[in-house]
Each structure stands twice: as C-alpha cells, then as structure tokens.
Amino acid sequence: MTVPKITLNNNVQIPQLGMGVFKMQDHKQFIQAFQWAIEIGYRHFDTAAIYGNEKWLGEAIKKAGIKREELFITSKLWPAEFDNPQKAYENSLKRLGLDYLDLYLIHWPAPDYEQAWQAMEQLYQDHAVRAIGVSNFMIKHLEKLQQQAQIMPAVDQVELHPYLQRPKLLAYLQDNDIAVEAWGPLGQGINGVFAEPILQNLAQKYHKSVAQVILRWHLQRHAIIFPKSIHQERLQQNFDIFDFELSTDDMNAISTLDKNQPNGSDPNDDEHLAQTKLRPVIN
Ligand SMILES: NC(=O)c1ccc[n+]([C@@H]2O[C@H](COP(=O)([O-])OP(=O)(O)OC[C@H]3O[C@@H](n4cnc5c(N)ncnc54)[C@H](OP(=O)(O)O)[C@@H]3O)[C@@H](O)[C@H]2O)c1
C-alpha cells in the first residue's frame, strides 16, 4: 500500500499519513517503533528540535537503510532559537544525520516570528530545505505574516481532532493554498474521545476501530496526519485507513462533536508563547 500524497503550494509532494514521534522518550522503544513503521510502509516522520529525539530518528533512519528520497522528514524551529534559524537548522540536520529536510516549520508563533520567517525563506531560497511552513499559527498570525512574506507557508500544523475542528481556520488555509497538518489527530487519546458514542457506532458500522474512524475523517478533510504510537498493532491499525470511506452523513455526524476544546497550549496565549522563547533546546 502506498500512502496518497498531497501536493503542497510549491509542488512538493507529502505523504498524507506519517508517524509522529512526540513523547517517544525511550531509546529502545523509539528504534523498535520506527522499524515497525518502516515495515508497515510509513515513510513520513514528524519530529522537532524540542522533542529531544532527533538523534534517535537519525539513528533509526540510518539503520533502516531506506533511500533518502523515499523518506519525508519534518522538523521544527523552536522559538528560543529564533535569533539564529540557520544555525538551528544546521544543528537539526547534524542530529538527524541528514543533509536536507523535506519540511521545516516555525514551531509556535512566539514574538519575532516575522523575522524568523525571513530566515526560513532564506533557507528555502538557498535550496537547503524542500518546503517551509508554520505550526500553531492562527488566522491573525498568518495575516500578519502575509503582509511581509515573499513565500507563504506550505503548511500550517495545528492541533485538530473531533473535539477541536477549527472550521474557520481550515477554510482560511484552503482559500490561501496552505495545506493543513493535524497534530494530536487522535485527540492524544484523552478526554474520552475513544468512548464517544457517535464514534463507537461508526466504528461498528465500518468494522474499524474508533482511532481508524477518526483518522479517516481527517483524511477526508484533506488533513495531513502523523499519529504517534509505540505499539506495532496500533501503527498497523493507523495505517489501515485507505480501504473504507465515511459517508457525507457520517462526516457531518462527526462535525457535531466539535467542542472547540484543545488539549495542548493555546496559540493565543501570550504567556505560553513568551515561555517558548525561554525554554532552551537540549539535545
Ligand atoms: N506542532 C506541535 O505543536 C505539536 C504538538 C503535539 C504533537 N505534534 C506532532 O503530532 C504528532 C501526533 O500527536 P500526539 O502524539 O500528540 O497525539 P496523537 O497521535 O493524537 O495520540 C497519541 C496517543 O494515542 C495513542 N494511540 C495511537 N494510536 C492509537 C490507536 N490506534 N488506538 C488507541 N490509542 C492509540 C498513543 O499511545 P501509544 O503510543 O501507547 O500507542 C498515544 O498515547 C506528534 O507525535 C508530533 O509529531 C505537534
């Protein structure tokens, strides 16, 4: 099974499904999960400098012996490093043992993200990275960026799941040709999302798990997803979502679950954004 690809606004193609590695904090588990993922067919991996595991991802990639061009690797610029994105990028590459990234994102819209974006544009113009984008940017941040940007972000990676659907942001991204990436696509498995009756009924109807129904819903909303799991059977399950389709009525039923309820930090919270600039990347 080859994962379908989405064409970004600069014509780079990204596999719509990948694996995220946030909170994979055990080295042995990490290497094992990556190996399972590769065997299953995953080729897209999402990390960040602040996750502290770029080195392990690099080690796992090397071990797998897959051709570099078959992989799609994303990492992120942490706000504490906004003063020198070029250096931060080089450090990420060094830790990953790679000579380019497929996608590099500004992790949060912390103060001075406009200047950081200029440096991201330079990296792109220097052909150091195949695509650049942002993460946790709301409409107001994108509008501000648009006033000065020469290159608009290829993607915006934001928290999205049945309890946080962000219809206005998604419409804005679509209108502006920015692809949407959903972080925490399974709602991180918390707040009772797996026990939600509407989702359980759909799981029964389609002979799939609740997780598969949620992931399929994202695909049909044209979101790029990279659910994280350290378990082989879950990695397999999360990959087996291309053999069924939710009906329009069922998509609409999931829309009714929106509570505008985030699990993670709020991109509108200035205090959180300021904190990201104080927390150093330790690797
Ligand atoms: N840009 C940002 O600010 C940001 C923030 C957070 C995350 N992210 C990215 O988004 C990726 C995914 O988000 P996330 O890891 O926070 O949350 P997630 O993928 O929504 O959920 C992961 C949780 O769900 C469990 N899980 C995975 N597959 C499952 C299945 N089929 N059935 C039941 N439980 C399942 C995992 O447990 P096990 O591992 O024990 O299986 C883990 O506890 C991250 O890894 C990271 O790459 C980005």
Side-chain angles (χ1 to χ4, degrees):
M1 165 73 217
T2 314
V3 172
K5 290 183 173 151
I6 285 194
T7 302
L8 302 177
N9 61 15
N10 66 346
N11 285 325
V12 163
Q13 293 201 313
I14 180 170
Q16 199 180 358
L17 173 70
M19 178 177 91
V21 301
F22 182 43
K23 291 195 180 159
M24 283 202 185
Q25 281 151 344
D26 180 88
H27 177 251
K28 209 168 144 206
Q29 248 172 16
F30 187 110
I31 301 294
Q32 177 64 83
F34 182 91
Q35 194 185 328
W36 284 327
I38 288 289
E39 284 163 11
I40 291 166
Y42 289 83
R43 293 294 181 268
H44 166 188
F45 298 90
D46 182 275
T47 187
I50 199 70
Y51 298 171
N53 57 21
E54 284 176 313
K55 261 191 197 154
W56 296 351
L57 181 56
E59 179 189 333
I61 290 171
K62 199 168 170 200
K63 203 167 163 205
I66 305 266
K67 276 195 204 138
R68 173 66 185 92
E69 59 271 27
E70 285 178 26
L71 297 171
F72 193 102
I73 309 293
T74 300
S75 192
K76 310 184 191 91
L77 170 68
W78 186 247
E81 305 197 312
F82 277 2
D83 54 346
N84 198 346
Q86 172 84 35
K87 184 92 196 122
Y89 183 71
E90 281 165 15
N91 285 340
S92 277
L93 288 184
K94 223 177 279 165
R95 289 188 289 263
L96 286 159
L98 300 176
D99 51 15
Y100 68 91
L101 286 183
D102 297 280
L103 181 60
Y104 195 45
L105 309 179
I106 291 188
H107 206 142
W108 283 93
D112 309 320
Y113 67 81
E114 300 90 338
Q115 288 95 306
W117 185 251
Q118 283 178 4
M120 300 282 284
E121 289 180 326
Q122 194 59 51
L123 282 172
Y124 180 72
Q125 278 155 351
D126 292 346
H127 304 288
V129 58
R130 294 181 68 220
I132 51 174
V134 295
S135 177
N136 298 303
F137 275 46
M138 300 291 102
I139 293 175
K140 65 177 182 187
H141 305 116
L142 292 163
E143 280 177 344
K144 214 164 162 204
L145 202 64
Q146 201 155 24
Q147 288 170 13
Q148 61 135 66
Q150 295 178 38
I151 302 165
M152 278 306 279
V155 313
D156 188 7
Q157 181 179 128
V158 294
E159 183 183 352
L160 283 176
H161 44 77
Y163 293 156
L164 180 65
Q165 302 192 13
R166 301 193 144 127
K168 275 194 196 147
L169 176 65
L170 262 60
Y172 178 89
L173 294 176
Q174 196 176 7
D175 288 349
N176 287 277
D177 200 13
I178 299 170
V180 61
E181 294 196 328
W183 71 250
L186 295 170
Q188 300 178 320
I190 61 174
N191 288 329
V193 70
F194 290 139
E196 180 66 48
I198 288 183
L199 296 174
Q200 289 210 334
N201 287 339
L202 292 175
Q204 246 183 351
K205 173 177 167 182
Y206 289 96
H207 306 291
K208 290 284 178 180
S209 70
V210 169
Q212 288 171 313
V213 168
I214 297 173
L215 296 176
R216 181 71 212 179
W217 168 77
H218 283 292
L219 292 184
Q220 290 180 219
R221 279 166 38 110
H222 310 294
I224 298 155
I225 49 175
F226 24 84
K228 169 261 174 188
S229 181
I230 53 163
H231 296 100
Q232 188 176 21
E233 67 283 5
R234 288 181 176 173
L235 286 166
Q236 183 68 57
Q237 207 187 94
N238 297 347
F239 199 81
D240 293 338
I241 53 173
F242 299 101
D243 57 354
F244 75 114
E245 189 168 339
L246 298 168
S247 70
T248 306
D249 282 352
D250 293 336
M251 289 293 290
N252 291 340
I254 300 176
S255 299
T256 65
L257 297 177
D258 193 6
K259 301 179 193 175
N260 197 25
Q261 183 188 83
N263 294 326
S265 303
D266 180 357
N268 295 303
D269 176 356
D270 290 339
E271 203 170 312
H272 164 69
L273 295 175
Q275 284 299 321
T276 62
K277 294 202 72 165
L278 301 176
R279 186 176 154 203
V281 169
I282 300 166
N283 269 291

